[in-house]
Amino acid sequence: MLTSSLLFGCSYKNWAHESDVPLLSPSAYGRSVQIRQIITITSENTEHVVQALLFITTERLHVALLSAEGQRLATIHYNGQSLELETIPETIHTLSARRIVTQLQLVLWPTMAWEKNLSGTGWQIVSSNDKRLLLFQEHPEITVHYKDAAQTTTTLVDYKYSYHITITTIEQNEL
């Protein structure tokens, strides 16, 4: 889902801006979980499949991104203040840890946490039971579609970088 910058180059579509959406704290998630996902990233005619292992607590977010074969591509650590990224030397493209965390939080964190965090910024979130839309100065940036009530299958469309991601949650355990 979140390895688009790692796996292929991205281009701006329609309009570009340099403003980053404010990240949420790990504690804003509201619980501690471990999640395993299969992620399919599609851009133009390119498709990549990766695994994501997430560990979310009130203090930290840890993300391990693995190839379809299980080889570690990257590890991200976020404590609400600092963001650390570790990648393997063979990684060709630059991986944006901030973009990955933003997309994870957009898919998983509660709408109320987003609304509170975005108040007073140029960013806005519009949400319904099966969809979220992230806007910057009223321009759509990312749409998230939840395909089922349990949110085990989710599609994220990134308009700025012209790709979409299908996320299938394989396992989720409360800690």
Side-chain angles (χ1 to χ4, degrees):
M1 129 165 127
L2 309 163
T3 60
S4 59
S5 299
L6 171 69
L7 298 173
F8 46 84
C10 299
S11 61
Y12 287 95
K13 183 179 180 182
N14 298 333
W15 71 288
H17 63 84
E18 297 302 318
S19 181
D20 288 324
V21 64
L23 295 177
L24 300 167
S25 71
S27 64
Y29 185 67
R31 56 196 175 126
S32 296
V33 296
Q34 185 174 351
I35 303 171
R36 186 168 60 104
Q37 300 173 325
I38 302 295
I39 298 162
T40 304
I41 306 159
T42 307
S43 174
E44 298 175 13
N45 297 325
T46 307
E47 183 175 284
H48 300 278
V49 177
V50 296
Q51 299 176 56
L53 304 173
L54 290 71
F55 181 71
I56 306 167
T57 68
T58 57
E59 295 86 30
R60 292 187 81 63
L61 165 65
H62 297 281
V63 181
L65 299 171
L66 310 171
S67 70
E69 299 78 31
Q71 178 185 13
R72 185 179 69 87
L73 301 171
T75 305
I76 298 170
H77 306 282
Y78 175 59
N79 65 8
Q81 303 279 316
S82 64
L83 204 53
E84 298 173 23
L85 171 67
E86 300 167 15
T87 60
I88 60 169
E90 296 80 26
T91 303
I92 297 170
H93 298 284
T94 303
L95 178 67
S96 169
R98 183 176 187 83
R99 192 78 178 171
I100 291 170
V101 171
T102 297
Q103 292 177 352
L104 276 173
Q105 291 183 338
L106 185 60
V107 169
L108 297 172
W109 267 240
T111 301
M112 287 178 42
W114 274 105
E115 290 170 347
K116 181 179 178 183
N117 196 52
L118 298 179
S119 179
T121 69
W123 293 92
Q124 178 185 6
I125 191 161
V126 178
S127 188
S128 67
N129 288 339
D130 62 348
K131 183 169 132 179
R132 284 188 182 173
L133 177 61
L134 180 66
L135 302 144
F136 180 69
Q137 296 178 349
E138 300 185 17
H139 292 278
E141 174 112 353
I142 297 173
T143 300
V144 177
H145 298 274
Y146 300 101
K147 299 201 188 258
D148 54 41
Q151 298 181 355
T152 56
T153 303
T154 305
T155 302
L156 182 144
V157 179
D158 189 307
Y159 303 110
K160 184 176 179 181
Y161 294 103
S162 302
Y163 64 88
H164 72 271
I165 300 167
T166 302
I167 307 153
T168 304
T169 299
I170 303 301
E171 185 178 8
Q172 182 170 322
N173 299 306
E174 298 289 327
L175 300 176

